[in-house]
Amino acid sequence: MSKSKVFVTRKIPDSGIKILKECCDVRIYPKNKVISRKELIKGVKWCDALLCLLTDTIDKEVINVNHKLKVISNYAVGFNNVDVKYATLKGIPVCNTPGVLTDAVAEHTFALMLAVTKRIVEANTFTRTGKYKGWEPMLFLGMELKGKTLGIIGLGRIGSGVAERAGKGMGMKILYYDVQRNENFEKEFNAQYASLEKILRNADIVTVHVPLLPTTQHLMGEKQFKMMKRTAYLINTSRGEIVDERALVRALKRKQIAGAALDVYEHEPKLAQGLTKMKNVVLTPHTASATVEARSAMSELAARNILDVLAGKRPEAIVNPEVWGR
Ligand code: DGY
């Protein structure tokens, strides 16, 4: 019997590729850049299983080039780059990589939180460029986290991971909003369920952990920034489109909020004009899950998802379970 064919749209850590190569014919797009639409379509036409990245748009046109496509395995927990509705209509399982990057992203969220409130990036540049001339009582005053209120928007795995670190590690008070209330979580972390508005009006730091959906796009815009305290910070490690980035720049310029730390952008890799000029902003290039541990585990889970589907087994992480057993 011929081997199943897997197309991988860019080099990812070897651990998952090794798993796939044990029983499949694997082709990896060789260039270290985002695959072109033409090359993507060529790869999809050839394969039985697609392993794609969040930078690949897997839409109706791409899905339609191969009526025998058996699975779309996204190397990310977010899957807004895939037309899941259409894949579901075609009976194609769409898989993702939840769980294995929770700690990496929660830690990165904290790194951003600490960096922006302690002014680490500014102070680093200051020190490296020879501006440090001696200790000063007022040099780079920042904000302490202990006793401050963290507003968590979205209490999934990552939001909960951030809450755990904030409550147990940093002694922060926690307000959270999610479509689903979680009373066990409230007891464990002494957290309070609140409306979005209450969070915005009371939090010293607002951190966003919701998936990108039509209902969450621009969840943070002009109106929401106006509700935030002037001393508050915004952190976003979820998806860029959740924040109206131009409105954020305006809010920062007007000093409606104290600062922001972002890992994701509305029009990646482009940034809204003015963002890089602001000292009270910390920016990372969508690297919240970029730890050796998380990226290897994502590679393995993306591979296992494919092998499960090819073997007729329900995959570990399926986004559209309704296609299973149809
Ligand atoms: C994801 O998995 O969705 C992350 O954004 C990748 O880092």
Side-chain angles (χ1 to χ4, degrees), residues 29 40 79 83 196 231 323:
Y29 179 63
L40 173 65
F79 46 85
D83 188 340
L196 195 55
T231 50
V323 300

Side-chain angles (χ1 to χ4, degrees), residues 71-72 79 84-85 87-96 98 305 309 312-326:
V71 53
I72 298 168
F79 46 85
V84 177
K85 207 166 154 195
T88 305
L89 196 74
K90 302 296 274 184
I92 302 170
V94 177
C95 301
N96 67 339
N305 282 335
V309 174
K313 279 202 299 200
R314 184 186 157 121
E316 241 170 276
I318 182 164
V319 166
N320 54 351
E322 60 274 36
V323 300
W324 207 251
R326 253 193 206 166

Side-chain angles (χ1 to χ4, degrees), residues 101-295:
L101 45 68
T102 304
D103 291 324
V105 180
E107 286 178 9
H108 195 90
T109 303
F110 245 92
L112 289 178
M113 228 188 269
L114 288 165
V116 74
T117 56
K118 311 287 169 196
R119 304 175 64 183
I120 299 292
V121 178
E122 263 183 278
N124 178 60
T125 308
F126 178 88
T127 312
R128 281 169 183 266
T129 52
K131 294 193 178 122
Y132 178 45
K133 303 292 180 210
W135 187 86
E136 286 181 44
M138 309 297 273
L139 189 61
F140 288 114
L141 296 186
M143 183 179 90
E144 272 175 35
L145 298 190
K146 186 156 182 189
K148 296 293 187 312
T149 299
L150 178 65
I152 301 180
I153 304 176
L155 196 76
R157 291 183 186 82
I158 296 171
S160 307
V162 171
E164 187 180 343
R165 287 159 176 85
K168 296 196 171 161
M170 290 287 177
M172 299 182 81
K173 293 179 204 140
I174 295 169
L175 289 181
Y176 78 99
Y177 172 75
D178 194 277
V179 281
Q180 248 178 328
R181 190 169 168 182
N182 182 340
E183 289 177 29
N184 289 337
F185 167 84
E186 287 168 32
K187 276 187 212 122
E188 192 178 346
F189 295 98
N190 197 19
Q192 217 187 316
Y193 185 66
S195 66
L196 195 55
E197 180 166 345
K198 183 168 175 193
I199 289 181
L200 297 173
R201 294 200 186 281
N202 292 283
D204 298 297
I205 300 178
V206 173
T207 184
V208 183
H209 300 286
V210 290
L212 176 61
L213 301 167
T215 48
T216 59
Q217 188 166 21
H218 284 191
L219 187 70
M220 292 299 297
E222 184 132 1
K223 188 171 150 209
Q224 288 69 29
F225 296 128
K226 275 189 189 145
M227 289 178 190
M228 285 174 69
K229 292 190 196 175
R230 286 192 175 265
T231 50
Y233 295 85
L234 173 78
I235 317 289
N236 187 12
T237 54
S238 57
R239 282 291 180 267
E241 295 92 323
I242 290 160
V243 173
D244 179 344
E245 212 167 283
R246 292 199 325 192
L248 172 64
V249 172
R250 285 196 299 274
L252 287 162
K253 279 189 181 155
R254 291 177 191 149
K255 301 201 183 326
Q256 274 165 353
I257 64 170
L262 311 174
D263 183 53
V264 288
Y265 306 92
E266 200 174 345
H267 304 287
E268 287 184 21
K270 289 194 188 123
L271 310 187
Q273 212 182 355
L275 207 52
T276 56
K277 301 274 186 311
M278 291 170 175
K279 288 196 176 142
N280 51 346
V281 169
V282 174
L283 307 169
T284 53
H286 205 150
T287 47
S289 71
T291 63
V292 172
E293 294 87 343
R295 291 283 165 91

